[in-house]
């Protein structure tokens, strides 16, 4: 076997990765934490803004998501640019994506808040939706790390 970074990916698998990103952006925009939980394994591990590693979905929601989602607007992934890598057995994947959003300075003035993510996924069988096992999300260089918007959470 010759290893290729850009090996062909089944179109259904790539679409499922894009669908995961799309669904997450819908939940972020709605500030709906409960609805987003199924997208992540209970024990997923993330790199955090406030700690080196965030272990577990509940911990990530409490320390990361709830500090960001209600402070930003217009969170969308550049879905046409999503990159996917899928294992030969089609049970593990990695997705790479760029997002756009609007953040707010303390005085309420908006600023562009783009970023990027690498997400690893797993599933028990081919055709099931992907579930995130790891996320690494980061803002683009020179983007303010804190947004001061205030929206109510749906859940």
């Amino acid at each position: 076997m010759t290893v290729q970074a850009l090996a062909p990916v089944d179109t259904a698998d790539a679409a499922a990765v894009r669908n995961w990103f799309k669904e997450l952006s819908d939940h972020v925009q709605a500030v709906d934490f409960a609805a987003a939980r199924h997208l992540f394994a209970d024990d997923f591990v993330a790199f955090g803004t406030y700690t080196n590693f965030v272990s577990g979905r509940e911990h990530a929601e409490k320390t990361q998501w709830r500090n960001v989602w209600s402070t930003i607007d217009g969170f969308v992934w550049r879905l046409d640019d999503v990159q996917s890598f899928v294992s030969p057995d089609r049970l593990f994947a990695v997705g790479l994506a760029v997002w756009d959003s609007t953040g707010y300075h303390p005085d309420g003035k908006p600023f562009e808040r783009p970023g990027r993510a690498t997400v690893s996924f797993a599933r028990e069988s081919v055709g099931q939706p992907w579930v995130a096992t790891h996320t690494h999300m980061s803002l683009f260089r020179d983007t303010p790390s804190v947004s001061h918007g205030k929206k109510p959470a749906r859940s």
Side-chain angles (χ1 to χ4, degrees), residues 27-143:
H27 298 314
V28 171
Q29 288 177 29
V31 194
D32 195 346
F33 305 104
R37 291 178 189 141
H38 77 279
L39 295 173
F40 300 86
D42 287 342
D43 62 347
F44 96 105
V45 177
F47 288 118
T49 303
Y50 305 103
T51 59
N52 291 337
F53 292 101
V54 177
S55 298
R57 184 179 59 211
E58 185 178 320
H59 187 210
E61 178 180 330
K62 185 179 191 180
T63 63
Q64 300 294 132
W65 306 349
R66 290 191 178 268
N67 288 318
V68 177
W69 295 10
S70 62
T71 71
I72 62 173
D73 283 317
F75 183 89
V76 293
W77 299 98
R78 298 178 191 173
L79 295 175
D80 291 341
D81 297 332
V82 170
Q83 298 286 312
S84 303
F85 306 100
V86 179
S87 66
D89 66 3
R90 300 174 62 200
L91 300 180
F92 179 81
V94 175
L96 296 92
V98 173
W99 78 75
D100 293 298
S101 64
T102 301
Y104 297 92
H105 293 289
D107 64 3
K109 289 186 182 173
F111 62 87
E112 291 183 16
R113 190 183 168 279
R116 66 221 169 224
T118 302
V119 180
S120 68
F121 300 101
R123 59 186 176 184
E124 292 183 6
S125 64
V126 174
Q128 288 186 326
W130 294 110
V131 176
T133 57
H134 166 72
T135 62
H136 181 192
M137 300 188 185
S138 59
L139 296 166
F140 284 169
R141 186 178 304 233
D142 298 326
T143 301

